[in-house]
Amino acid sequence: MAIKFDIEFTESAEQRRLIYDIEECSFDTEPSVREINFDIVVNKLNLTVVDDNRVVQVWGFCGYNEWVQSNDVVPTSSKGTLKVIGDLESGLSYRVGKDDYETFVNKQTGWVCIGDPRKSGKAVEFVNDCVVVINDDQEFVSLWLKPNTLPQLS
């Protein structure tokens, strides 16, 4: 079952700060949301979904040793809301793909991309410095993250 998403463009994104904890190799958003309905999982990252099916935070493991250096740039996006389509059971986690996606990093811009950085689609900044791209079938293409700091990459 493919997870489908809907984008609603608005004037603002979730007001949270995206951080990357180098020691834990993980992303997190502050302040964090405790009232979780379910999670959408991209690789080992969780996209927290609340009662109205809105994705409101990003957190979880994302080891930087496997990041592929790239010159790709984050697609043009507008601020808005990312929603999961359908009635998914509360308290569970749902993967967007069977396999893990490759993770890319652009050291010059500070953006990390999980998924296909060259595939286009509709892009929304749903949390500050967190952009998701969905295709015409409303399926996941890529997740772009720009944390406050990146680890030292060789």
Side-chain angles (χ1 to χ4, degrees), residues 62-98:
C62 188
Y64 61 89
N65 292 336
E66 297 170 11
W67 294 357
V68 177
Q69 294 197 32
S70 134
N71 293 322
D72 293 302
V73 294
V74 64
T76 302
S77 64
S78 297
K79 292 184 182 294
T81 303
L82 177 66
K83 285 190 168 185
V84 177
I85 297 173
D87 294 323
L88 299 179
E89 190 175 334
S90 187
L92 299 177
S93 294
Y94 301 89
R95 287 184 60 84
V96 292
K98 310 189 295 259

Side-chain angles (χ1 to χ4, degrees), residues 29-72:
T29 41
E30 296 175 341
S32 63
V33 174
R34 299 280 180 234
E35 300 298 316
I36 298 171
N37 193 15
F38 57 89
D39 282 317
I40 299 298
V41 180
V42 179
N43 293 1
K44 292 175 182 69
L45 277 183
N46 293 281
L47 306 180
T48 298
V49 182
V50 292
D51 281 345
D52 61 358
N53 278 8
R54 279 181 309 122
V55 179
V56 296
Q57 77 182 356
V58 177
W59 63 276
F61 180 80
C62 188
Y64 61 89
N65 292 336
E66 297 170 11
W67 294 357
V68 177
Q69 294 197 32
S70 134
N71 293 322
D72 293 302

Side-chain angles (χ1 to χ4, degrees), residues 136-152:
D136 290 340
D137 293 327
Q138 298 179 299
E139 293 174 345
F140 176 86
V141 171
S142 57
L143 174 64
W144 293 79
L145 304 168
K146 186 175 183 182
N148 58 341
T149 56
L150 282 176
Q152 288 296 320

